[in-house]
Amino acid sequence: MFSKACEYGIKASIFIALNSYEGKRVSLKAIAKEINSPEAFTAKILQDLARHSIINSVKGAHGGFEIDKYAISSIKLSQIVNAIDGDSIYKGCGLGLHTCDEDHPCPVHDKFKSVREELKDMLEKTNLEELALDIKSGVAFLRT
């Protein structure tokens, strides 16, 4: 459903949020290792997240990536998805057809429409704090 870049972006944001709660900045290397992503690919994703003001990039000897701990609860999953994948997840065809709409629907168009609407609702209602706290409490995991 999400692109690989988007999956990594969500995982990276959660990992950065967890560390930001403890007042720590995290390096590109640490993030890439935690989310099991190549460093160069991770760097590009983090650049997109920083450009959209989801994370902060701090340069220098004590630099790294962070999120203002008071902003973590206001960052919605939809912001991360939009920063990396745009809004295509809400518009794309369930079967990947280039032309699929109300006038020319694919076989799963009507069923997939409700799935997209539920997904959008979930992404807009879920914030980064919920996800980070689930990991911190051991209810959820970033890796297996």
Side-chain angles (χ1 to χ4, degrees):
M1 182 133 283
F2 299 118
S3 70
K4 202 59 154 165
C6 192
E7 290 175 13
Y8 288 146
I10 293 168
K11 291 178 190 177
S13 297
I14 294 168
F15 182 64
I16 295 166
L18 281 167
N19 283 276
S20 295
Y21 274 127
E22 298 172 9
K24 299 178 191 170
R25 290 185 186 127
V26 281
S27 68
L28 167 61
K29 188 174 190 151
I31 295 166
K33 182 178 179 186
E34 178 66 24
I35 67 172
N36 197 26
S37 169
E39 277 188 45
F41 192 42
T42 304
K44 185 180 179 313
I45 294 164
L46 296 175
Q47 188 176 43
D48 285 342
L49 293 172
R51 194 176 306 120
H52 285 85
S53 302
I54 294 167
I55 64 172
N56 301 317
S57 174
V58 179
K59 299 194 184 310
H62 300 287
F65 295 91
E66 65 183 7
I67 300 172
D68 179 330
K69 65 177 150 185
Y70 300 106
I72 294 171
S73 64
S74 66
I75 297 171
K76 305 292 184 196
L77 218 44
S78 60
Q79 292 172 261
I80 298 168
V81 172
N82 286 333
I84 298 169
D85 282 352
D87 64 356
S88 63
I89 195 164
Y90 309 123
K91 298 178 180 178
C93 171
L95 296 179
L97 301 179
H98 285 48
T99 305
C100 176
D101 55 32
E102 299 295 324
D103 297 328
H104 195 283
C106 76
V108 298
H109 182 79
D110 291 330
K111 292 183 187 321
F112 198 70
K113 186 176 175 180
S114 64
V115 170
R116 273 196 311 264
E117 288 169 4
E118 285 182 42
L119 177 64
K120 184 175 184 180
D121 187 53
M122 183 275 292
L123 293 173
E124 290 175 350
K125 289 181 178 173
T126 305
N127 67 51
L128 205 48
E129 181 178 55
E130 293 173 58
L131 303 175
L133 292 177
D134 281 350
I135 289 170
K136 190 173 183 171
S137 69
V139 173
F141 303 90
L142 268 182
R143 20 185 211 164
T144 55

